[in-house]
Amino acid sequence: MSTQEMSRSEISPSAVGRLLNGQTAIDFYGKRRFGIIGAMVVIVITVVSLWAQGLNLGLDFEGGNAWDVPASETFGIDEAEGVLEANDISVAGSRIQRRTSDSSDVITIQIEEIPPAQTAQLTRDFADAAGVEVGDISVSFTSSTWGDEITDKAIRALVIFLVIVSLFITFRFEWRMAVAALGAMAHDVIAVVGFYSVFQFEVTPATVVAFLTILGYSLYDTIVVFDRVKENDGKLAGARTPYEDVVNISMNQVLMRSLNTSISSILPVISLLVIGWGILGARSLQEFALALLIGMVVGVYSSIFIATPLLASMHGRDDTKVRRPRLTGDALRAAVIGAGASGRITAPILVTDDVAGSATPRPASELGAAPDRLLTHPPRPRKKKRH
């Protein structure tokens, strides 16, 4: 039994089985428009949301005073608003929320920066309204200049990171891959910012740390795909395979690996949200894990549906190889399976049927062609051995 016949006989009948066994034949390049349209929708939603309501910046960025007052049946959000109004402080510009966990139940009040004397008066009024001692109330103050410094340092770190990444990918792979990777990371940034703007989640320093971590994770997943693309491009250069086919073959080969890596990374982050925030009530873990979870999910999407199709599109405009129909269906699956673990194509692939006059890609065994027909140029004459 030939390699091609054996590969066909072992193909799983179900989509899940083909995914698990690395037998998928998804035309990622052909579906690139859906990925680009999805990215454009995310960008539009983000821009509209930022224009309409902006970001919900935390106290560390905007600056101001904050109190954590023990909650009770006689002291809640309404009572906290009453204390602010009694001291001529606008409730509309303040943030009041109740945070409950197994270990604590507090009312958090955040307002803009006020004089120290007024801060002390508000602390006493909160204590009287809640029926607790002044020492039972946690008071904090953050200057707005400190938030500006955090923002400047985060932007500076982001710029340096992007420059280093661009140079590394350019020298290790090529400049097109650097552009595609930056495009995918830009999409991840916009998507996470849009999510926080639409749902008005609070942006804190922990969120910024998670945000920078997201970029590294997204880049890792993209580099894994690009490395396989470069490897297959070199191995298929002799067959003058179009770059779109190289991308599709590579994506199908690493699809299950990308999904496994993503799932194994997302599950611990979900446990941080469920245990750290839901059970233990650790707010800092919630701020970090939420941004991390959103970024990981978005990063998987961008590496599959944005980075690689964008790379293929840029190569397609500069491709000087002979144009021929893109491999799809069984022909693409034969190429994916034929590469196997070694990366060498063992299942023969034809791009045209010169005998039948058809331009539909078909395996060589179906056309009755000899192995030499796989070449797009006349074979070299064999050298005669000297006796």
Side-chain angles (χ1 to χ4, degrees):
M1 181 181 295
S2 66
T3 304
Q4 184 177 351
E5 294 173 349
M6 181 172 57
S7 299
R8 287 186 173 185
S9 64
E10 295 175 354
I11 294 177
S12 176
S14 65
V16 176
R18 291 192 295 270
L19 176 63
L20 295 176
N21 296 325
Q23 300 171 343
T24 56
I26 303 174
D27 186 7
F28 289 99
Y29 181 80
K31 296 178 173 59
R32 66 191 184 280
R33 290 182 178 85
F34 295 100
I36 300 300
I37 291 174
M40 295 301 297
V41 170
V42 169
I43 294 174
V44 171
I45 293 176
T46 300
V47 172
V48 173
S49 180
L50 289 175
W51 176 77
Q53 57 186 4
L55 289 171
N56 181 18
L57 297 177
L59 182 68
D60 295 312
F61 291 98
E62 290 191 334
N65 299 77
W67 292 264
D68 284 340
V69 185
S72 63
E73 295 181 356
T74 59
F75 185 81
I77 294 178
D78 294 336
E79 289 73 19
E81 291 178 350
V83 173
L84 293 178
E85 291 175 349
N87 286 268
D88 297 328
I89 295 177
S90 174
V91 177
S94 306
R95 296 174 186 168
I96 305 175
Q97 58 181 342
R98 185 165 188 165
R99 296 189 298 163
T100 304
S101 65
D102 294 339
S103 58
S104 64
D105 185 11
V106 298
I107 303 296
T108 300
I109 305 102
Q110 298 179 0
I111 64 173
E112 61 184 8
E113 186 176 346
I114 59 176
Q118 193 175 7
T119 301
Q121 181 61 44
L122 273 173
T123 304
R124 290 190 295 269
D125 291 346
F126 283 135
D128 294 339
V132 297
E133 299 293 332
V134 174
D136 296 332
I137 298 178
S138 174
V139 185
S140 60
F141 167 74
T142 303
S143 174
S144 58
T145 57
W146 190 76
D148 294 337
E149 292 178 1
I150 292 179
T151 304
D152 294 339
K153 291 180 179 179
I155 294 176
R156 191 181 305 117
L158 178 61
V159 172
I160 295 174
F161 172 78
L162 293 179
V163 171
I164 294 176
V165 165
S166 302
L167 294 176
F168 170 76
I169 298 178
T170 300
F171 287 108
R172 175 62 178 82
F173 299 100
E174 57 170 308
W175 67 268
R176 296 181 187 87
M177 290 187 176
V179 173
L182 290 180
M185 286 192 293
H187 168 269
D188 297 344
V189 172
I190 295 173
V192 175
V193 171
F195 186 89
Y196 268 75
S197 177
V198 170
F199 295 98
Q200 286 295 288
F201 288 112
E202 187 177 8
V203 179
T204 65
T207 306
V208 176
V209 173
F211 175 74
L212 296 176
T213 306
I214 290 166
L215 297 180
Y217 176 84
S218 175
L219 179 65
Y220 165 78
D221 203 29
T222 303
I223 291 299
V224 168
V225 178
F226 284 176
D227 186 66
R228 180 56 65 90
V229 170
K230 181 180 180 181
E231 178 184 357
N232 284 337
D233 188 34
K235 292 177 179 179
L236 299 175
R240 307 182 70 182
T241 305
Y243 205 79
E244 309 92 86
D245 289 341
V246 175
V247 165
N248 278 337
I249 294 171
S250 303
M251 282 299 307
N252 281 281
Q253 288 175 346
V254 301
L255 179 60
M256 194 59 209
R257 174 181 176 179
S258 297
L259 294 178
N260 285 334
T261 303
S262 303
I263 293 173
S264 61
S265 302
I266 289 174
L267 288 179
V269 177
I270 294 178
S271 68
L272 282 178
L273 281 173
V274 175
I275 299 176
W277 177 40
I279 298 178
L280 301 179
R283 186 182 179 187
S284 59
L285 288 180
Q286 178 258 334
E287 296 167 353
F288 178 79
L290 181 61
L292 205 59
L293 178 62
I294 299 169
M296 284 184 173
V297 174
V298 173
V300 174
Y301 175 86
S302 65
S303 62
I304 295 177
F305 295 103
I306 296 179
T308 314
L310 182 60
L311 172 65
S313 299
M314 289 188 293
H315 259 280
R317 285 190 289 268
D318 297 337
D319 200 349
T320 57
K321 299 175 182 178
V322 178
R323 306 304 301 169
R324 49 185 182 256
R326 189 172 63 255
L327 294 176
T328 57
D330 291 336
L332 177 58
R333 181 175 289 107
V336 174
I337 298 175
S342 64
R344 297 181 60 186
I345 300 297
T346 57
I349 301 170
L350 279 181
V351 293
T352 56
D353 182 0
D354 296 334
V355 177
S358 171
T360 303
R362 289 195 288 169
S365 59
E366 297 180 4
L367 301 177
D372 288 341
R373 283 184 56 82
L374 296 178
L375 298 176
T376 57
H377 56 277
R380 296 179 181 177
R382 295 182 179 179
K383 294 182 178 181
K384 296 182 179 180
K385 295 183 180 180
R386 295 183 179 179
H387 297 284

